[in-house]
């Protein structure tokens, strides 16, 4: 009877697996979107700081004594150029199936709503729109999968009744 019990649990096990795949895909998409938005914001800040430093140097370099200039340009915290900062998402899975089930709770609001950190960035807005379109397509496919799953569960229930009888 242990084998029958395993067979009986297959639909719910498969559903749980689909839900887990969906959650992991949403998490990965959300975290990558967040990392990209953060990277854009950091790069803007670095660019603004570099511009500010260049403006400062153009204004005061000729007036500063050499020791003070060296402190500004050679010191780690005060280098002539702001430090390069990279945001990297590592450990991405090779491939997860394109599964999305509408009744699974959506990613947290901070990851699903348009981010203020994108700040009107057209590239970030485009990526967000693409993600929304992918999610819409995945929902449609999920509905088809759900219908298939319901039919399989019905067939399994009928088989259970036949085994019991």
């Amino acid at each position: 009877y242990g084998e029958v019990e395993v067979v009986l649990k297959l639909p719910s096990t498969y559903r749980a697996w689909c839900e887990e795949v969906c959650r992991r895909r949403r998490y990965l998409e959300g975290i990558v979107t967040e990392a990209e938005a953060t990277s854009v914001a950091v790069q803007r800040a670095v660019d603004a700081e570099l511009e500010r430093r260049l403006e400062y140097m153009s204004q005061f370099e000729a007036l500063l004594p050499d020791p003070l200039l060296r402190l500004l340009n050679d010191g780690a915290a005060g280098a002539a150029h702001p430090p390069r900062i990279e945001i990297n998402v590592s450990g991405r899975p090779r491939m997860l199936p394109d599964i999305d089930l509408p009744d699974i709770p959506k990613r947290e609001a901070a990851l699903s709503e348009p981010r203020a950190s994108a700040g009107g960035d057209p590239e970030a807005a485009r990526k967000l729109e693409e993600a929304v379109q992918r999610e819409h397509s995945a929902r449609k496919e999920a509905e088809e999968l759900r219908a298939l799953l319901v039919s399989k569960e019905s067939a399994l229930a009928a088989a259970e009744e036949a085994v019991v009888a």
Side-chain angles (χ1 to χ4, degrees):
Y1 290 110
E3 294 169 355
V4 172
E5 187 177 328
V6 169
V7 169
L8 295 176
K9 290 183 179 181
L10 284 176
S12 61
T13 301
Y14 178 70
R15 170 117 180 129
W17 178 83
C18 288
E19 290 173 351
E20 183 62 18
V21 167
C22 180
R23 282 187 192 100
R24 289 182 186 198
R25 285 181 62 87
R26 285 183 181 165
Y27 168 79
L28 181 61
E29 289 170 2
I31 206 74
V32 167
T33 299
E34 191 71 16
E36 289 170 348
T38 301
S39 181
V40 167
V42 167
Q43 188 56 49
R44 275 197 215 119
V46 168
D47 291 346
E49 178 62 14
L50 178 59
E51 189 175 319
R52 189 199 63 73
R53 288 180 187 191
L54 291 173
E55 176 63 30
Y56 173 84
M57 291 305 284
S58 71
Q59 205 172 7
F60 295 105
E61 183 176 23
L63 304 173
L64 289 171
D66 241 13
L68 295 180
L69 255 169
R70 274 195 307 276
L71 281 174
L72 276 181
N73 294 328
D74 297 337
H81 297 284
R84 178 179 162 89
I85 298 172
E86 291 183 21
I87 297 174
N88 182 22
V89 178
S90 62
R92 289 184 176 192
R94 289 189 187 150
M95 183 177 85
L96 282 174
D98 193 11
I99 297 173
D100 191 12
L101 302 173
D103 60 339
I104 295 176
K106 296 297 177 198
R107 63 184 89 111
E108 295 177 19
L111 297 177
S112 64
E113 62 190 35
R115 295 283 300 161
S117 61
D121 179 20
E123 182 66 15
R126 182 188 63 77
K127 287 181 180 181
L128 182 60
E129 180 59 32
E130 287 174 358
V132 168
Q133 289 174 357
R134 281 194 311 271
E135 187 171 48
H136 178 70
S137 297
R139 281 179 186 272
K140 183 178 177 185
E141 186 178 341
E143 286 300 319
E144 294 167 2
L145 285 172
R146 175 176 285 131
L148 179 63
L149 183 61
V150 167
S151 71
K152 298 286 184 190
E153 287 173 340
S154 297
L156 184 60
E160 273 179 26
E161 289 175 14
V163 169
V164 172

